[in-house]
Amino acid sequence: MINDKGKEKMNNKKNISDAVIRRLPRYYRYIGELKKNNIHRISSKELSEKMSITASQIRQDFSCFGGFGQQGLGYRVDYLYDELNKILGTDKGFNIIIIGAGNLGRALANYERIKNRGIKIIGVFDKNPNVIGTEVCGLTVLSIENICEFVNNNKVDIATLTVPRDQVKPMADLVVGCGIKGLWNFSAKELVVPEHVVVENVHLSDSIMVLGYKIIQKAEGAQNEKL
Amino acid sequence: MINDKGKEKMNNKKNISDAVIRRLPRYYRYIGELKKNNIHRISSKELSEKMSITASQIRQDFSCFGGFGQQGLGYRVDYLYDELNKILGTDKGFNIIIIGAGNLGRALANYERIKNRGIKIIGVFDKNPNVIGTEVCGLTVLSIENICEFVNNNKVDIATLTVPRDQVKPMADLVVGCGIKGLWNFSAKELVVPEHVVVENVHLSDSIMVLGYKIIQKAEGAQNEKL
DNA sequence: TAGATTGTTAATCGATTAACAATC
DNA sequence: TAGATTGTTAATCGATTAACAATC
């Protein structure tokens, strides 16, 4: 019945905030660890200590999906893990193509951790004739001219965009035009896409700048302490 | 005088929220574009339309650093760009080493966009004897055994961690022990570090899972609309 | 001067934390 | 049954938005 309650809420489209969504993979990782270590039960309090999140937030987060626990007993690790799997679609078997077989694109094609998440890389595309035809992780790099044909003949859920900055917009338009619903964008450029498309950005240069900023702040903080 | 006001606040350690900090590189990119396009002045209203942020938030964010504008006239692009440069430490000349010369480490070593941010990659390290001695982006891969020696002889601000999951904790401990103050962590594992060290995580597998989740949600949403 | 737009204060909104009744 | 811990409601905290006096 816990399950039905959860489904009911999900169908009600109760909007789950981005903050909660972004914590889900983290829960998934920690619960996966517990499972691997043969821990069968955990309370929100214990988990909160491991994860440095308040127990209240954990319960609040899980209750967005109907709640997975048992009063007095906490959460069953197996069940929680399965539910998180369902929520995150690890069982959906997402297929992904990579646009741009440069260093980053090739690194992602070989990234084992992604493959462990029910995600399959089924195609790699590039513009450069010198790169087309080479092999990346068991796949032959195809010309971007063949993308639409490929998408029509295969279930493709996500396109990873690892192309130079000036090509990201045309490439995004192209794959969205072919019917792809999810973009994993590695270029430092915001994309404008139709309402039915989801974009997830990984802005590496933004990330390193934030780190730089924080290092400076910490150094200045230490400096001020001395005074 | 605007400048002094800004400095005063920064020294007061007025805590700037993470939300604001993470918007800074984005401002920097947009203002950089304007500069490139020879636009000399911009109001918060105009910028808000370009960036899909409220004008109020833009003014609020900039005022954390003392405010960079002129009433009635808006912001001078050149000046704003320079100030963002200072805030983000682009002029600091950060040096970075890469621990783990696998696919991802090598891709980052070759990532041009990072180098345009005043960041210099000065060393690449690996454990694997087959990899040590090979060349990455003009640098010879060194053994991780030499890290501390290297850090003692060079100014190293940041260590990028692109090592297998089970090695990230020992590697982090090692470089922190050598005196490095910033970690750019690409492993899907949270790091516990001393108070004076800053960690910036790039959890690629978390990111793709969030994307997967959102694709499912959108599909279900569309489904429900039909009913 | 009149119009525009800032920096900042106040109001609102949303997310996190605390408290507790329900219940295993 | 008594103790533990959930799911949820209420309180707090922080971030975003609105409003406006200051001023270019």
Side-chain angles (χ1 to χ4, degrees), chain A residues 34-47:
Chain A
L34 293 175
K35 195 177 146 94
K36 217 187 284 172
N37 295 335
N38 278 313
I39 294 164
H40 298 296
R41 234 171 238 294
I42 191 147
S43 69
S44 58
K45 185 157 169 291
E46 291 169 292
L47 190 57

Side-chain angles (χ1 to χ4, degrees), chain B residues 5-223:
Chain B
K5 215 173 156 191
K7 271 184 197 159
E8 184 192 311
K9 286 206 179 162
M10 280 167 88
N11 286 344
N12 281 355
K13 264 176 91 190
K14 183 162 140 345
N15 252 22
I16 292 161
S17 76
D18 202 64
V20 175
I21 295 167
R22 290 190 182 279
R23 279 192 293 269
L24 293 177
R26 201 157 163 252
Y27 289 127
Y28 182 71
R29 278 192 275 122
Y30 274 86
I31 302 301
E33 288 276 320
L34 294 175
K35 196 177 146 94
K36 218 186 285 171
N37 295 333
N38 278 311
I39 294 164
H40 298 295
R41 232 170 239 297
I42 191 147
S43 69
S44 57
K45 186 158 168 289
E46 290 168 295
L47 191 57
S48 95
E49 281 154 15
K50 275 190 201 297
M51 294 185 66
S52 312
I53 297 186
T54 63
S56 205
Q57 180 156 75
I58 292 171
R59 295 202 299 277
Q60 196 70 275
D61 284 352
F62 290 169
S63 91
C64 291
F65 303 95
F68 307 126
Q70 292 160 286
Q71 276 134 322
L73 301 170
Y75 299 87
R76 269 180 43 221
V77 170
D78 276 359
Y79 176 66
L80 188 49
Y81 189 73
D82 290 348
E83 289 302 306
L84 286 170
N85 259 323
K86 279 187 220 161
I87 292 168
L88 289 165
T90 317
D91 55 349
K92 285 277 191 298
F94 283 121
N95 288 335
I96 202 169
I97 59 173
I98 292 176
I99 321 279
N103 292 302
L104 191 53
R106 289 204 303 275
L108 292 172
N110 285 287
Y111 196 48
E112 283 303 322
R113 196 152 181 86
I114 292 174
K115 296 173 199 167
N116 297 339
R117 292 280 182 273
I119 292 160
K120 208 169 154 186
I121 293 153
I122 61 167
V124 182
F125 297 84
D126 206 289
K127 208 173 195 170
N128 185 340
N130 297 329
V131 176
I132 295 166
T134 61
E135 199 144 302
V136 173
C137 198
L139 295 166
T140 304
V141 178
L142 303 173
S143 165
I144 50 166
E145 285 174 13
N146 300 325
I147 284 183
C148 277
E149 194 196 332
F150 187 92
V151 173
N152 288 335
N153 296 330
N154 297 274
K155 174 182 168 280
V156 181
D157 303 288
I158 297 167
T160 300
L161 298 169
T162 45
V163 296
R165 216 166 109 81
D166 57 327
Q167 281 174 48
V168 76
K169 195 181 147 23
M171 284 301 128
D173 291 346
L174 177 66
V175 296
V176 167
C178 301
I180 285 179
K181 303 279 183 3
L183 301 179
W184 201 21
N185 175 35
F186 283 79
S187 82
K189 188 148 196 164
E190 267 78 32
L191 291 170
V192 180
V193 293
E195 209 270 320
H196 70 278
V197 177
V198 188
V199 179
E200 168 77 8
N201 292 302
V202 180
H203 290 326
L204 293 176
S205 58
D206 286 17
S207 173
I208 190 76
M209 291 183 96
V210 167
L211 178 55
Y213 173 86
K214 289 183 177 175
I215 290 172
I216 297 170
Q217 287 318 299
K218 212 147 241 184
E220 282 181 6
Q223 199 75 25

Side-chain angles (χ1 to χ4, degrees), chain A residues 10-28:
Chain A
M10 280 167 88
N11 286 344
N12 281 356
K13 266 177 90 191
K14 185 162 142 339
N15 251 22
I16 292 161
S17 76
D18 203 63
V20 174
I21 295 168
R22 291 193 179 277
R23 279 192 293 270
L24 293 177
R26 201 157 164 252
Y27 288 126
Y28 182 72

Side-chain angles (χ1 to χ4, degrees), chain A residues 114-155:
Chain A
I114 291 174
K115 294 174 200 166
N116 298 339
R117 291 281 183 274
I119 291 160
K120 207 168 157 189
I121 294 154
I122 60 166
V124 182
F125 296 85
D126 206 288
K127 205 173 195 170
N128 185 339
N130 297 329
V131 176
I132 295 167
T134 61
E135 200 143 301
V136 174
C137 198
L139 295 166
T140 304
V141 178
L142 302 174
S143 165
I144 49 167
E145 285 173 14
N146 301 326
I147 284 182
C148 277
E149 194 195 332
F150 187 92
V151 173
N152 288 335
N153 295 330
N154 297 274
K155 175 180 167 279

